[in-house]
Amino acid sequence: MGEKIYRLHYRGQLQDNVSKRQLQEAADQCVQLTGQAKKQGRILTAALYQADRMLFFYYEALGEPLPVTEPFSLENEVFLPESGEDKQTTCIRPEELLAPLCPLLQAWPGQKGDRFWVHMYHIYYHSIPEDVESWNRDRKPTMRRGRIAFLREDKLFSYVYFHRAIVEEGLLMGDRYQSIALHENILFSYFEEPKTMVNVKNEPEGESRVIEDWMAADPESHFIHMPEGKGGNFMFLPALFAV
């Protein structure tokens, strides 16, 4: 089937009383690991952002899809090979790329056991990477941005519905490298500046019926506006590193 480019998003949670020095020392070690993975051709880019005790990790990795199997039982115990807790690929795992950070993180309970990094669901983008050469052509960002937003519970599925519809329609122009993922009610957005404006259909932007419907649904009403956002829906996060 061959390797493809996966855009992956993960969320972690720092333990109590982790010092800035501990965090930065671990992040510096992660830069070395991600740099090695890049030289080996296993990843294209990686960036880690912080919001209080929350960490958000975005990376682009090469891998092959793994087959999705049906649950099976053994001695009355049900096994779920495809649990929905992770992306089923051969891509390098965040536990390997970010191993120095794991001792500083809280563990998240899961179907298959505890884990330090929780997979976020990729819901929004403006481009689908086809191959490394074309994806990285003319890619010279001066800044790699990370942002988060909080959705209101009664508006969460409305947001997902419209943004998946925008992607499927494929007309809206945006940064080629923008990517938004969801975990619980938290959106994590990655993009690069200067922006490379494209759309999914790779054609001039046309009239969008979906955008009209999204605007009629009152986009602002979907967000919990945090004080740090100064009235904006998304809040920019400081980067611990960007490779």
Side-chain angles (χ1 to χ4, degrees):
M1 189 174 296
E3 287 191 325
K4 59 181 290 188
I5 300 170
Y6 288 90
R7 287 183 278 181
L8 302 170
H9 312 68
Y10 283 87
R11 177 185 170 196
Q13 182 82 1
L14 289 168
Q15 298 175 12
D16 289 327
N17 302 319
V18 173
S19 69
K20 290 183 178 180
R21 179 179 177 181
Q22 286 177 298
L23 180 58
Q24 193 57 60
E25 287 179 349
D28 291 343
Q29 294 175 45
C30 292
V31 170
Q32 297 179 18
L33 292 176
T34 53
Q36 291 172 6
K38 189 175 186 302
K39 289 179 181 178
Q40 295 166 356
R42 303 176 74 185
I43 67 170
L44 303 181
T45 193
L48 180 68
Y49 302 90
Q50 181 183 8
D52 296 323
R53 290 174 55 204
M54 295 186 294
L55 300 180
F56 295 90
F57 184 48
Y58 171 82
Y59 68 111
E60 298 168 359
L62 294 171
E64 298 181 8
L66 294 174
V68 177
T69 57
E70 292 295 319
F72 65 94
S73 61
L74 183 64
E75 295 182 356
N76 299 320
E77 185 176 0
V78 176
F79 293 84
L80 298 173
E82 174 72 8
S83 68
E85 294 181 349
D86 214 338
K87 193 74 175 177
Q88 301 296 306
T89 76
T90 61
C91 294
I92 187 171
R93 303 276 302 141
E95 289 82 2
E96 183 177 347
L97 289 169
L98 304 176
L101 274 169
C102 290
L104 306 181
L105 300 179
Q106 290 186 348
W108 297 75
Q111 294 177 11
K112 297 181 180 180
D114 293 348
R115 68 267 203 231
F116 293 110
W117 295 98
V118 179
H119 174 242
M120 303 182 73
Y121 292 97
H122 192 201
I123 62 173
Y124 186 73
Y125 44 88
H126 295 281
S127 183
I128 300 173
E130 296 181 359
D131 57 74
V132 173
E133 182 180 0
S134 61
W135 184 247
N136 277 342
R137 185 181 299 126
D138 301 325
R139 185 179 193 176
K140 297 178 181 179
T142 58
M143 187 172 293
R144 301 174 189 273
R145 294 284 215 166
R147 306 180 300 170
I148 59 170
F150 295 85
L151 293 174
R152 297 185 181 278
E153 181 180 354
D154 60 337
K155 296 286 188 174
L156 190 152
F157 295 107
S158 171
Y159 181 94
V160 173
Y161 168 80
F162 281 110
H163 281 70
R164 288 306 306 162
I166 292 170
V167 169
E168 290 165 9
E169 184 185 50
L171 296 175
L172 183 66
M173 302 292 285
D175 178 40
R176 170 180 291 169
Y177 305 106
Q178 183 181 17
S179 190
I180 300 179
L182 173 74
H183 179 248
E184 295 178 336
N185 73 321
I186 301 177
L187 296 169
F188 169 41
S189 168
Y190 172 88
F191 67 94
E192 298 181 0
E193 293 179 333
K195 295 182 179 180
T196 304
M197 302 300 286
V198 298
N199 63 16
V200 173
K201 286 195 171 181
N202 292 316
E203 60 185 44
E205 186 172 32
E207 184 176 352
S208 170
R209 176 62 183 273
V210 177
I211 292 297
E212 292 180 8
D213 293 342
W214 169 234
M215 298 307 295
D218 188 8
E220 292 293 317
S221 70
H222 289 63
F223 296 91
I224 300 172
H225 295 95
M226 306 298 286
E228 300 89 339
K230 300 179 180 180
N233 298 330
F234 280 85
M235 299 176 291
F236 284 102
L237 301 180
L240 289 170
F241 71 80
V243 175

